[in-house]
C-alpha cells in the first residue's frame, strides 16, 4: 500500500487506542504497520515472505510496540498471537493475497473468537459479494455467511495504482464488526450452513431442486416446507435473505423432529 490517504482511512476505520492489540496480516514493507503502531497499544506484524523481513525490520523494527512474526496465516492462530500480547480480544487489519480471502474469512469468523473488528483490503469483486443484497448477481453463500457473524461496511475504493507492486485488479477496503450474537435464530448452526450451501451449490436450479439434492430430502418434504414459509416452488437461492434462510432452517428442523 503506497497511498497515504488510504492508509489513513484504514487506520481510522480500525478505531485504535492505547489499549488495543491489532494483528496485521500481510505487513509487506511496513508502511501500514508504522501507521497502526502510532495509535495502537501493540501491533503484531504477520508476514509470510521471509524476503521482506529485512526491509520490514528496517521500517518498524525499532518500534517498541511492534512484534514481527514470520508465519503463514493459514497455519497461525491469531487469537494465540493476541494472547501472547496479554489480550483476549484483538483487532485485525489485513491486506491478503486475493486467493486467500474466502478461507481467511472462514478462519476469522469461525475459529478466532477473540477478534472484535477487522479492516480488510479485498478484491473489489469480493467486496461486492460481501455487501450484496438479495436478488443481486453478487449475492451468495459468502454474503449470507458473513452477515450472520458480522456487520459489513464499505470504507474506501482503492485503485490498483495505489499498490506496489501493482496488482491486476482494483480493491476495496471493508470493515467487519463482529456481532455479539447472530441477528437470527437458526435452530442449529451446522444444519443452517448446510442448508445455505445446498441452496447456493446449484445456482442454476430452482431452490426446490437444489435443496432436494443438497440436503438429500424427499422433494415433497422440501416443497411442503417452502410452501409453509410462503416461498414459491420456482424461487432461487439468491432471492432469499438471511432471515429467510433462518426461517427455513427452523422449519426443516421441526420437520426433521416430526413437529
Amino acid at each position: 500500500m503506497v497511498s497515504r490517504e488510504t492508509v489513513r482511512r484504514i487506520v481510522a476505520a480500525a478505531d485504535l487506542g492505547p489499549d488495543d492489540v491489532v494483528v496485521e496480516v500481510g505487513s509487506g514493507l511496513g508502511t501500514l504497520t508504522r501507521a497502526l503502531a502510532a495509535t495502537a497499544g501493540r501491533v503484531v506484524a504477520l508476514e509470510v515472505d521471509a524476503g521482506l523481513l529485512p526491509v520490514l525490520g528496517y521500517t518498524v523494527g525499532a518500534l517498541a510496540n511492534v512484534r514481527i512474526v514470520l508465519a503463514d496465516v493459514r497455519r497461525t492462530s491469531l487469537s494465540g498471537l493476541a494472547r501472547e500480547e496479554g489480550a483476549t480480544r484483538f483487532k485485525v487489519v489485513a491486506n491478503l493475497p486475493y486467493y486467500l480471502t474466502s478461507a481467511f474469512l472462514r478462519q476469522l469468523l469461525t475459529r478466532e473468537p477473540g477478534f472484535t473488528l477487522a479492516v480488510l483490503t479485498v478484491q473489489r469483486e469480493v467486496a461486492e459479494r460481501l455487501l450484496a443484497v438479495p436478488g443481486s448477481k453478487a449475492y451468495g453463500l459468502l454474503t449470507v455467511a458473513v452477515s450472520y457473524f458480522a456487520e459489513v461496511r464499505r470504507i474506501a475504493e482503492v485503485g490498483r495504482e495505489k499498490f506496489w507492486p501493482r496488482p491486476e485488479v482494483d480493491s476495496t477496503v471493508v470493515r467487519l464488526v463482529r456481532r455479539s450474537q447472530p441477528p437470527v435464530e437458526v435452530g442449529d448452526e451446522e444444519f443452517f450452513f448446510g442448508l445455505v450451501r445446498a441452496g447456493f451449490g446449484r445456482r442454476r436450479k430452482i431452490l426446490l431442486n437444489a435443496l432436494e439434492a443438497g440436503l438429500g430430502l424427499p422433494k415433497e418434504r422440501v416443497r411442503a416446507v417452502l410452501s409453509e414459509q410462503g416461498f414459491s416452488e420456482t424461487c432461487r437461492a439468491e432471492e432469499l435473505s438471511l432471515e429467510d434462510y433462518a426461517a427455513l432452517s427452523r422449519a426443516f428442523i421441526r420437520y426433521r423432529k416430526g413437529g
Side-chain angles (χ1 to χ4, degrees):
M1 182 79 67
V2 294
S3 165
R4 291 183 180 179
E5 174 60 19
T6 303
V7 167
R8 185 193 66 76
R9 296 184 70 174
I10 289 172
V11 174
D15 191 23
L16 298 169
D19 295 328
D20 284 319
V21 170
V22 57
V23 178
E24 184 194 11
V25 181
S27 299
L29 304 178
T31 306
L32 179 55
T33 315
R34 286 186 65 88
L36 294 170
T39 54
R42 293 286 297 169
V43 179
V44 181
L46 187 65
E47 177 54 54
V48 70
D49 186 351
L52 292 174
L53 290 187
V55 65
L56 185 59
Y58 176 78
T59 55
V60 302
L63 299 178
N65 64 335
V66 175
R67 176 163 66 105
I68 301 170
V69 176
L70 177 65
D72 187 331
V73 67
R74 294 171 294 182
R75 300 173 179 84
T76 304
S77 167
L78 305 188
S79 299
L81 293 177
R83 285 194 298 271
E84 291 171 4
E85 300 297 329
T88 57
R89 296 164 67 82
F90 64 97
K91 296 178 179 180
V92 174
V93 173
N95 180 14
L96 295 162
Y98 296 129
Y99 69 90
L100 287 181
T101 303
S102 293
F104 177 73
L105 285 169
R106 285 194 298 272
Q107 173 183 342
L108 191 63
L109 295 169
T110 64
R111 301 199 300 277
E112 301 288 359
F115 118 84
T116 58
L117 180 152
V119 182
L120 311 177
T121 303
V122 300
Q123 185 174 343
R124 189 161 296 172
E125 287 75 10
V126 174
E128 294 307 319
R129 291 165 60 196
L130 291 172
L131 296 159
V133 296
S136 63
K137 185 177 180 181
Y139 185 78
L141 172 59
L142 185 66
T143 320
V144 176
V146 172
S147 64
Y148 179 80
F149 291 106
E151 298 178 59
V152 186
R153 182 162 67 89
R154 189 191 312 267
I155 298 299
E157 301 295 345
V158 188
R160 62 195 74 184
E161 72 280 358
K162 295 181 180 180
F163 292 92
W164 184 90
R166 180 174 174 148
E168 297 298 319
V169 296
D170 294 317
S171 303
T172 301
V173 179
V174 295
R175 184 170 80 163
L176 278 64
V177 177
R178 191 184 194 104
R179 299 184 189 276
S180 58
Q181 61 182 22
V184 292
E185 173 56 50
V186 299
D188 181 300
E189 281 192 3
E190 184 177 355
F191 179 82
F192 168 74
F193 284 110
L195 169 73
V196 178
R197 282 194 297 271
F200 286 105
R202 296 166 174 81
R203 288 186 72 112
R204 295 184 181 181
K205 291 181 177 287
I206 60 173
L207 191 60
L208 172 64
N209 293 338
L211 294 182
E212 177 197 12
L215 297 178
L217 295 175
K219 180 171 287 188
E220 288 309 312
R221 173 164 291 191
V222 177
R223 180 180 283 114
V225 171
L226 289 175
S227 176
E228 173 193 300
Q229 296 301 312
F231 298 115
S232 164
E233 287 188 14
T234 59
C235 70
R236 297 183 180 274
E238 60 269 24
E239 298 175 29
L240 274 63
S241 66
L242 172 64
E243 292 76 15
D244 292 334
Y245 278 108
L248 279 180
S249 177
R250 297 192 301 270
F252 274 113
I253 290 170
R254 287 196 301 272
Y255 266 77
R256 190 171 57 177
K257 293 179 177 178

